[in-house]
Amino acid sequence: MSKAKKIIIAIAVVLSIVVAFNLAINYFVNKQLPKIIADKNKTDYSITYQTLTIDMVDKNISAQGVAVIPKKNTKKSEGKLGIYSNIKSIEIRDFKIWEILFNNKIKANSITINNPEVVLYKDDNKGIQDSKKLSSDVVAPFQQIIAVSKIIMNKGTVKIVHIKTKKPILNVNNMHLEVSGIIINEETLAQPIPFQYDKYSFSGDSIYYRANDFYHIGMAHIETTDKALKIDKFELIPEYSRREFVSKLKKEKDLFTLQANTIAIQNLNWGFKDSIPFIEANKISLNKLSANIYRNKLPTDDLSKKPLYNKLLRDLKFPMKVDTLAITNSQLVYEEEINFAKGPGMLTFDAFNLTATHLQSGYKQTKLKDVNIDISCKFMNNSPFKVNWTFNVMDKTDGFKFHGKITNLNTADLSRFTKPYINATTTGTFDYLDFTINGNDFSSTENAALKYHNLKVKLFQKNDRTKESKFKSIIANLVVKNDTNGEIKNAKVATERTPEKSFFNFLWLNVAGILKHILI
């Protein structure tokens, strides 16, 4: 036999061995993979598919018509507890052959999940369980089947539904998720976030989330990465009417309704360190915020001490730092109601713009810069109002300085608050009010300057609020000085804080003390 023939035969033998080996691997992979998904699947979920394609050349796996359902429910009477998912297709890229053959596990570079429809049925109203539940029930079991460093989800819908009421707890449409650099091990599974990652991106539309028994959150669209976040058409909406809300309260509590055109966070950094959460941001912006705060005085007073903002930030149990908070082109409305018959008194702050800097928690801090808050707005949609408010988080006396200046206040505008609240109205103009409050957790001193003219008071009958009580009005106008005669009147007043009341109640006591001193 010639040398050339020997070489040809040797090559043919090697090729035959290679082909046979590849055919054998292909056979075993095709046989082993369904077992990993079905027979050797030790999770609480059954995984089925319509077609499964394995590309041994490019080392890719493609599954069509995938369904994930619980193997069994914890209680038969509760029906479909758990996760139910229908997925158009799943694509797994660059899988490791030996992991499938010898470790009964799919290990690959990435997995792409296309058009998943996921529904989680729960027997409580909590949208997201604690991290340990997430780790033990979801991440750890599926980690036994598949391990990838990158997950992509395209055009998904996710719903969480209360199984008894059939009401949604969470709903997200057109969801896109991409997480890369994923690492899962015993150490990460013990952490609040049960995996490590390099970066992520997430977006979704028409988001509904039942935050608690009293509120739900809505968003038209959200986009977030590990560095930034943007929300369009945010809203925090009460679940109950005002009457229903008040009927459920044991003690006084504010009812909030919030809507914002956009919310944006720049240079976001958040996570957990030693199981303690932290959050940092260069700037948080809210544009066209509409905030309504409503309080009804029918429930019993909450007599617990209300800490000032120094202490609230100082006592946060985790690191939090926001360099700048900006609220622009917004409106703030405060309503307070003695009872439903009289209707609420209302104060409005329109064209509201706020810039706050150096917002930081006191967690493991010994020294911080002063928090500085600048506000400009139109009080009662008419009078220019400017505020500068400063305080230091680490000041254990909770000291603060609040400087306000308001001009051209038509006091008749206050009727929306004074008429239902104290059964009185006023006319006349505050040409100029400038005041500075230096306070702390116990007391304050106020310095003020006021110029006004043509101030008159009208009091109404108790039994018929549409009719003036002329005698009381005459007495009131005899007591009240109706004009400063073109001069600026100065006053210095001291005020004791009521610890069971809020900072803004303290602020109102200061202003009321100033007005009483000058007007009477």
Side-chain angles (χ1 to χ4, degrees), residues 130-174:
D130 59 84
S131 58
K132 291 182 179 180
K133 193 76 172 174
L134 175 67
S135 175
S136 62
D137 290 1
V138 180
V139 178
F142 283 100
Q143 172 71 2
Q144 298 174 16
I145 298 176
I146 184 166
V148 295
S149 61
K150 186 175 184 179
I151 294 175
I152 301 170
M153 181 183 291
N154 291 317
K155 296 182 178 180
T157 63
V158 174
K159 297 180 181 179
I160 301 178
V161 179
H162 192 287
I163 195 166
K164 293 181 180 178
T165 65
K166 309 301 180 185
K167 291 183 177 180
I169 302 168
L170 174 70
N171 191 16
V172 185
N173 294 309
N174 194 28

Side-chain angles (χ1 to χ4, degrees), residues 21 24-30 32 36 40 96-105:
F21 182 71
I25 290 178
N26 187 56
Y27 170 79
F28 284 114
V29 167
N30 276 274
Q32 186 73 356
I36 293 173
K40 297 181 180 181
K96 310 302 179 186
I97 295 173
W98 300 111
E99 292 289 334
I100 293 176
L101 292 177
F102 299 110
N103 293 326
N104 297 322
K105 187 174 185 178

Side-chain angles (χ1 to χ4, degrees), residues 38 73 256 258 280 315 338 344 387 452 477 512 520:
N73 291 309
F256 299 94
L258 306 178
E280 298 176 348
D315 290 351
I338 297 175
V387 168
Y452 65 94
N477 283 295
I520 299 176

